[in-house]
Amino acid sequence: MKLIDYVQGRGARSALAKKLNLTPVLISQWANETRPVPPERCVEIEVATDGEVSRRDLRPDDWWRIWPELTAKPEVTS
């Protein structure tokens, strides 16, 4: 799931920001793709969203370079 889809509606952006101890503005910038999500934050987001937003979703162009161990696992789609 894309981050923008996850954070839309009912305070999800603020709730995620609070879980990660970040500002909602930064979450918005990542969700709107005006700033890339740093690799070191991707795992935190994946955990905070209970896997709904994966590292693969957050870094579609280079996830396999950053986390090569994920290439051995098939991607689960809903």
Side-chain angles (χ1 to χ4, degrees):
M1 170 186 296
K2 287 190 160 266
L3 185 57
I4 189 73
D5 296 329
Y6 182 85
V7 298
Q8 286 181 335
R10 298 184 294 152
R13 190 176 321 234
S14 295
L16 182 59
K18 188 173 183 173
K19 279 184 182 180
L20 299 173
N21 198 28
L22 299 170
T23 65
V25 171
L26 183 56
I27 300 296
S28 292
Q29 291 171 342
W30 290 344
N32 293 317
E33 298 179 355
T34 55
R35 293 179 69 174
V37 180
E40 59 270 14
R41 291 293 190 172
C42 293
V43 174
E44 292 176 55
I45 293 170
E46 188 172 51
V47 170
T49 63
D50 294 322
E52 289 189 54
V53 180
S54 72
R55 291 172 268 179
R56 293 175 179 179
D57 297 326
L58 295 166
R59 306 278 311 192
D61 297 327
D62 62 0
W63 65 265
W64 62 90
R65 292 183 192 139
I66 303 165
W67 303 285
E69 67 278 7
L70 296 181
T71 59
K73 297 178 185 175
E75 183 173 355
V76 177
T77 58
S78 3

